[in-house]
Amino acid sequence: MSDVTPLETLGEFGLIRRLQNTVTLRQPSTTLGIGDDAAIITPAPDNNMVVSTDLLVEGVHFDLTFAPLKHVGYKAVAVNVSDIAAMNALPTQIVVGLAIGARYSVEAIEELYEGMRLACEAYNVDLVGGDTTASRGGLTISITAMGQVPNGQAVRRSGAQPNDLICVTGDLGGAFMGLQVLEREKQAFLADPDMQPELGNYGYVVQRQLRPEARMDIVHELKDLGITPTSMIDISDGLASELLHLCAASGAGARIFSENLPIANPTLEAASEFNLDPIMCMLNGGEDYELLFTVPLSDYDKLKHHPDITIIGNMMVKSEGANLVTKAGQPVPLQAQGFTHF
Amino acid sequence: MSDVTPLETLGEFGLIRRLQNTVTLRQPSTTLGIGDDAAIITPAPDNNMVVSTDLLVEGVHFDLTFAPLKHVGYKAVAVNVSDIAAMNALPTQIVVGLAIGARYSVEAIEELYEGMRLACEAYNVDLVGGDTTASRGGLTISITAMGQVPNGQAVRRSGAQPNDLICVTGDLGGAFMGLQVLEREKQAFLADPDMQPELGNYGYVVQRQLRPEARMDIVHELKDLGITPTSMIDISDGLASELLHLCAASGAGARIFSENLPIANPTLEAASEFNLDPIMCMLNGGEDYELLFTVPLSDYDKLKHHPDITIIGNMMVKSEGANLVTKAGQPVPLQAQGFTHF
């Protein structure tokens, strides 16, 4: 028996039915999932809904030469959940649109969905709707994520005040270095298809690139600590770009210290091997999906020893601009060099 | 001054800012629109949210040889609103994802957004979020629409009972005939680029194809008439396919009468010219975006003279199957021949 089933043998409705059977509903707010013209959601009383949408395009956001479809599916959900986390909300539902190129088999799409299913399980999110269609090109994944947060407790980009502490979760630059490693291995593979990829030392950075996690854990921890950030954003395009968004939305300036920026040892080693400046990797390398947020100075004691949150600087008045302070004490204006897809 | 601006001169953020400026917010439930990690929605108390997503792919769902981008934008919103209407809900917000091929200019995307803006105005919907990215191929449009309906008043596909009247809005087969006309003109144009398209007699069917409307008017009218359908679905894949969905979801059979099916004169004339059976056009031609719904027999008097709602048959017990009764009184089993994109 072959394990490659052409999509056309199932058709759109067959594919939807087959995938529908793998969906588990967990959220009490999900009143009706896949299978009607629309899903029905019953938001918790006195809660806001938050909603965010993201596209992942083959050849632009992911490269199937090195990204397993299961990871692509997981990441597609995780990056959307990350946007919900950045609002201080809990993710509740997603809907998924897939435009699928002719070379994909049913098994390939099931791999993709398996990754999505694992992410839904990890983040306690229900897949409640979707649309599946052919595409003339590669695979395009569209995900819209919804979440809930008690009325008035959503955290925007715009609430940062001068003197607020600037905090970042986890470590930075890893996803970018992972991409460098994968691109190099791809080139080596294209030159010599018999080569075996050497990812051994790069497990951490490759994982950061291929299977990032949304920091829902931090959203829960901040709640437990009684901390409501004054502003928050997730780091998809690089720290510099995101901090400039916070500054612009809040009408404020900022100062971060290069010595304080968190980097993992494997990232540092990879940057060194690739002759890349680790500071630049942290500032401008995208896709870490860590959270960048600000808190009042009075929260300092609650956060100063947190193992997974680093205080990297403080907000300033707008006229001070947004600067990186170097080890030598020199302020350097931050610039948004997050990669653009155009 | 050139009026063709390459997308890369603006970049993703520039494009989003430029489009953001054209957005008007109308819905009281929109607490925060475009510009943060997620939009914030405050649902009306005691309301369900409904949510639906659709992809429109260039070369699959639309052909820019004959579809102006403004119409494509309008239609992309309308078909999503149609799903919300089919739940008996009022549309409130949409989010839009665009994957844009390299040959598109800023002006082309603004045309597309202008069509979306017009549809948002027509349906009183807020565009509250989006994602814009490059694509290696053509244009892919992903829209997720949200709506609200008082708790428990959403109409599903599954509530039809034997003996319920089967109703359809407007007329059928027009969008399909419009597509035939446009395809013929395209072939003629490809054979002789100097030819002028002859759409004169086909204005109605072409409009049905290029710029369908969601039947929100019917949702309001049914409310005014005090009618809550027992089941409802919108006709995107053809009457036969949609009625079979209603039957399957409701565990019931159905009987519709070919003589009762509503067709507009221009559709009938076009079908005749193309030597197509008008009944087949109505049953299997997609994209009319009319509503198909069922009501209890007791609502007959309220609907029998409605100028835009036609009673086409009635639900049966499941064992009777789903049949079209011909003019000669002969039952013919309905088959789903709605076009599949795979």
Side-chain angles (χ1 to χ4, degrees):
Chain A
M1 182 183 133
S2 162
D3 58 354
V4 176
T5 313
L7 273 182
E8 61 267 26
T9 59
L10 274 184
E12 180 176 348
F13 294 127
L15 184 63
I16 291 172
R17 265 194 303 273
R18 185 151 167 178
L19 299 169
Q20 196 175 340
N21 294 336
T22 70
V23 167
T24 309
L25 298 179
R26 301 171 183 84
Q27 283 287 339
S29 61
T30 302
T31 302
L32 180 69
I34 295 175
D36 216 298
D37 291 278
I40 305 177
I41 296 169
T42 307
D46 303 316
N47 266 242
N48 287 132
M49 299 280 300
V50 295
V51 56
S52 178
T53 193
D54 262 312
L55 284 173
L56 276 86
V57 178
E58 182 178 350
V60 178
H61 300 92
F62 59 90
D63 183 337
L64 293 177
T65 319
F66 48 67
L69 272 167
K70 197 190 282 189
H71 284 9
V72 171
Y74 193 97
K75 182 171 176 173
V77 175
V79 305
N80 273 278
V81 168
S82 181
D83 280 320
I84 303 301
M87 301 301 288
N88 195 37
L90 302 186
T92 47
Q93 286 89 16
I94 60 169
V95 293
V96 176
L98 293 183
I100 308 172
R103 74 175 189 283
Y104 284 81
S105 65
V106 169
E107 287 75 17
I109 298 305
E110 283 179 341
E111 273 291 296
L112 180 75
Y113 266 91
E114 174 61 12
M116 292 187 184
R117 198 190 61 73
L118 287 170
C120 285
E121 196 173 288
Y123 299 116
N124 200 25
V125 174
D126 290 350
L127 199 169
V128 297
D131 188 22
T132 309
T133 179
S135 113
R136 294 280 174 265
L139 177 67
T140 297
I141 306 168
S142 160
I143 297 192
T144 300
M146 284 152 284
Q148 294 183 40
V149 55
N151 282 344
Q153 291 185 29
V155 174
R156 307 179 185 198
R157 299 178 177 180
S158 55
Q161 300 289 328
N163 298 321
D164 281 356
L165 300 173
I166 302 171
C167 305
V168 69
T169 62
D171 54 79
L172 302 176
F176 174 74
M177 285 316 307
L179 186 59
Q180 306 313 308
V181 170
L182 289 165
E183 291 285 0
R184 185 177 68 180
E185 295 302 311
K186 180 184 173 183
Q187 294 311 320
F189 175 80
L190 292 175
D192 173 14
D194 288 331
M195 66 80 76
Q196 294 295 314
E198 288 183 32
L199 299 179
N201 294 328
Y202 301 114
Y204 180 75
V205 295
V206 166
Q207 164 118 357
R208 295 287 287 171
Q209 169 59 225
L210 293 183
R211 228 192 101 151
E213 293 284 359
R215 298 307 305 258
M216 281 310 305
D217 56 333
I218 298 291
V219 175
H220 291 291
E221 280 192 44
L222 290 176
K223 198 176 199 176
D224 291 346
L225 289 167
I227 293 175
T228 304
T230 52
S231 72
M232 186 149 60
I233 191 171
D234 75 323
I235 302 180
S236 53
D237 288 324
L239 176 63
S241 170
E242 311 301 357
L243 184 56
L244 288 169
H245 284 312
L246 279 194
C247 287
S250 297
R255 180 178 62 174
I256 57 175
F257 298 89
S258 67
E259 282 189 291
N260 293 5
L261 301 184
I263 192 165
N265 278 332
T267 308
L268 201 55
E269 284 161 22
S272 161
E273 195 187 313
F274 279 75
N275 283 316
L276 290 169
D277 176 6
I279 302 288
M280 285 301 116
C281 295
M282 288 189 279
L283 287 177
N284 299 323
E287 300 199 277
D288 284 318
Y289 297 102
E290 297 293 343
L291 293 172
L292 173 68
F293 61 94
T294 56
V295 298
L297 256 175
S298 54
D299 283 331
Y300 176 73
D301 283 339
K302 292 181 187 168
L303 290 179
K304 65 183 174 187
H305 294 310
H306 194 289
D308 213 19
I309 294 174
T310 309
I311 300 169
I312 60 172
N314 56 273
M315 298 302 288
M316 311 279 283
V317 294
K318 190 177 180 182
S319 57
E320 296 282 343
N323 292 284
L324 174 78
V325 181
T326 65
K327 209 170 170 180
Q330 196 65 33
V332 181
L334 286 170
Q335 291 186 308
Q337 296 177 333
F339 44 79
T340 170
H341 295 300
F342 292 116
Chain B
M1 182 184 130
S2 163
D3 59 353
V4 176
T5 313
L7 273 184
E8 60 266 29
T9 60
L10 275 184
E12 180 176 349
F13 294 128
L15 183 65
I16 290 172
R17 266 193 303 274
R18 186 152 166 177
L19 299 170
Q20 198 173 340
N21 294 335
T22 70
V23 167
T24 309
L25 298 180
R26 302 172 183 83
Q27 282 288 339
S29 61
T30 302
T31 302
L32 181 69
I34 295 175
D36 216 299
D37 291 278
I40 304 176
I41 296 168
T42 308
D46 303 316
N47 266 243
N48 287 133
M49 299 280 302
V50 294
V51 57
S52 177
T53 195
D54 262 312
L55 284 174
L56 276 87
V57 178
E58 183 178 348
V60 178
H61 300 91
F62 59 90
D63 182 337
L64 294 176
T65 320
F66 49 66
L69 272 167
K70 197 189 281 188
H71 284 8
V72 171
Y74 193 97
K75 181 171 177 173
V77 175
V79 304
N80 273 277
V81 168
S82 181
D83 281 320
I84 303 300
M87 301 301 289
N88 195 36
L90 302 185
T92 48
Q93 286 88 15
I94 60 168
V95 293
V96 176
L98 292 183
I100 308 172
R103 74 175 189 283
Y104 284 82
S105 65
V106 170
E107 288 74 16
I109 299 305
E110 283 178 341
E111 273 291 296
L112 180 75
Y113 265 92
E114 175 60 11
M116 291 187 185
R117 196 190 62 72
L118 287 170
C120 284
E121 197 172 289
Y123 299 115
N124 200 25
V125 174
D126 290 349
L127 199 170
V128 298
D131 188 22
T132 310
T133 179
S135 113
R136 295 278 174 263
L139 177 66
T140 297
I141 305 168
S142 159
I143 297 192
T144 301
M146 284 153 283
Q148 294 181 39
V149 55
N151 283 344
Q153 291 186 29
V155 174
R156 308 179 185 199
R157 299 178 176 179
S158 53
Q161 299 288 329
N163 298 321
D164 281 356
L165 300 172
I166 301 172
C167 305
V168 69
T169 62
D171 54 77
L172 301 176
F176 174 74
M177 284 317 306
L179 185 61
Q180 306 313 309
V181 169
L182 289 165
E183 292 284 3
R184 185 177 68 179
E185 294 303 310
K186 180 183 173 184
Q187 294 311 321
F189 175 80
L190 292 174
D192 172 13
D194 288 330
M195 65 79 76
Q196 294 295 314
E198 287 182 34
L199 300 180
N201 295 328
Y202 302 114
Y204 180 76
V205 295
V206 166
Q207 164 117 357
R208 295 286 288 172
Q209 168 60 222
L210 294 182
R211 228 192 101 151
E213 295 284 359
R215 298 307 305 259
M216 281 310 304
D217 55 332
I218 298 291
V219 175
H220 292 291
E221 279 190 49
L222 290 176
K223 199 176 198 178
D224 292 345
L225 289 167
I227 294 175
T228 304
T230 51
S231 72
M232 187 150 56
I233 190 170
D234 75 325
I235 302 179
S236 53
D237 289 323
L239 176 63
S241 170
E242 311 301 356
L243 184 57
L244 289 170
H245 284 311
L246 280 194
C247 287
S250 297
R255 178 178 65 172
I256 58 175
F257 298 89
S258 66
E259 281 189 291
N260 293 7
L261 300 184
I263 191 164
N265 278 331
T267 308
L268 201 55
E269 285 162 21
S272 161
E273 196 187 313
F274 280 74
N275 284 315
L276 291 168
D277 176 5
I279 302 288
M280 284 302 117
C281 295
M282 289 188 280
L283 287 178
N284 299 323
E287 300 199 278
D288 285 318
Y289 298 103
E290 297 292 344
L291 293 172
L292 173 68
F293 60 93
T294 56
V295 298
L297 256 176
S298 54
D299 284 330
Y300 176 72
D301 284 337
K302 292 181 186 171
L303 289 178
K304 64 181 177 186
H305 294 311
H306 195 290
D308 213 19
I309 294 174
T310 309
I311 299 169
I312 59 172
N314 55 273
M315 299 300 290
M316 310 279 280
V317 294
K318 190 177 178 182
S319 58
E320 295 283 342
N323 293 285
L324 175 78
V325 181
T326 65
K327 210 170 167 178
Q330 195 66 33
V332 180
L334 287 171
Q335 290 186 309
Q337 296 178 336
F339 44 80
T340 172
H341 295 302
F342 291 115

